[in-house]
Amino acid sequence: YHRWRAPIDGTIVRSWVEPGTYFAQRSGQTEGSGTWEGTESQPYLGHVAARAVFVFHSEFTGYLALVCIGMVEVSTCHIEPKYVVAAGGPGVAVVRGDEIGWFEFGGSTHMMIFDPTKKIQLVD
């Protein structure tokens, strides 16, 4: 399942696609367990792979960033056009679960960055 959904009720205050590379490996990386299964390469790919970046705001969470990373052969990130928010542009309201974009193909990962001024606790 390679579609992204809004993680919170709130407003997207900025979003964009950051172009990147694909089939990249960090210097000195070897092939083996963990290389592509999601551990060793993720920090590197989080810097060089194509990424869709969303910055949300809500009263409860403060600012929250969602970074969708197109890993390995993916490299194509699409933001649903109505959720593209330019710098300084008006925000777009979202409800948790709204489909905000998708990966074109293949494997992927995500990261969420939380506002350090808010005390957010994740639960199962």
Side-chain angles (χ1 to χ4, degrees), residues 79-85 100 102:
I79 296 176
E80 185 69 45
K82 67 182 179 182
Y83 296 118
V84 174
V85 178
I100 57 176
W102 65 93

Side-chain angles (χ1 to χ4, degrees), residues 24-39:
Q25 285 183 274
R26 68 183 196 279
S27 179
Q29 181 173 328
T30 60
E31 294 289 330
S33 177
T35 301
W36 301 112
E37 291 82 17
T39 54

Side-chain angles (χ1 to χ4, degrees), residues 9-124:
D9 294 339
T11 302
I12 298 175
V13 296
R14 179 80 169 94
S15 63
W16 72 95
V17 172
E18 188 67 36
T21 187
Y22 57 95
F23 285 118
Q25 285 183 274
R26 68 183 196 279
S27 179
Q29 181 173 328
T30 60
E31 294 289 330
S33 177
T35 301
W36 301 112
E37 291 82 17
T39 54
E40 294 177 18
S41 59
Q42 284 191 12
Y44 173 74
L45 290 171
H47 288 88
V48 301
R51 299 162 309 270
V53 182
F54 297 88
V55 180
F56 299 87
H57 186 266
S58 80
E59 186 176 323
F60 177 73
T61 63
Y63 289 98
L64 179 143
L66 171 64
V67 182
C68 305
I69 305 169
M71 295 174 64
V72 191
E73 73 278 4
V74 179
S75 275
T76 305
C77 300
H78 293 282
I79 296 176
E80 185 69 45
K82 67 182 179 182
Y83 296 118
V84 174
V85 178
V92 177
V94 290
V95 174
R96 182 178 180 206
D98 284 350
E99 186 175 305
I100 57 176
W102 65 93
F103 293 115
E104 189 67 29
F105 174 76
S108 56
T109 193
H110 302 77
M111 76 172 112
M112 289 177 59
I113 304 165
F114 296 91
D115 188 329
T117 66
K118 298 289 185 173
K119 303 296 183 213
I120 304 296
Q121 183 174 352
L122 301 178
V123 295
D124 288 334

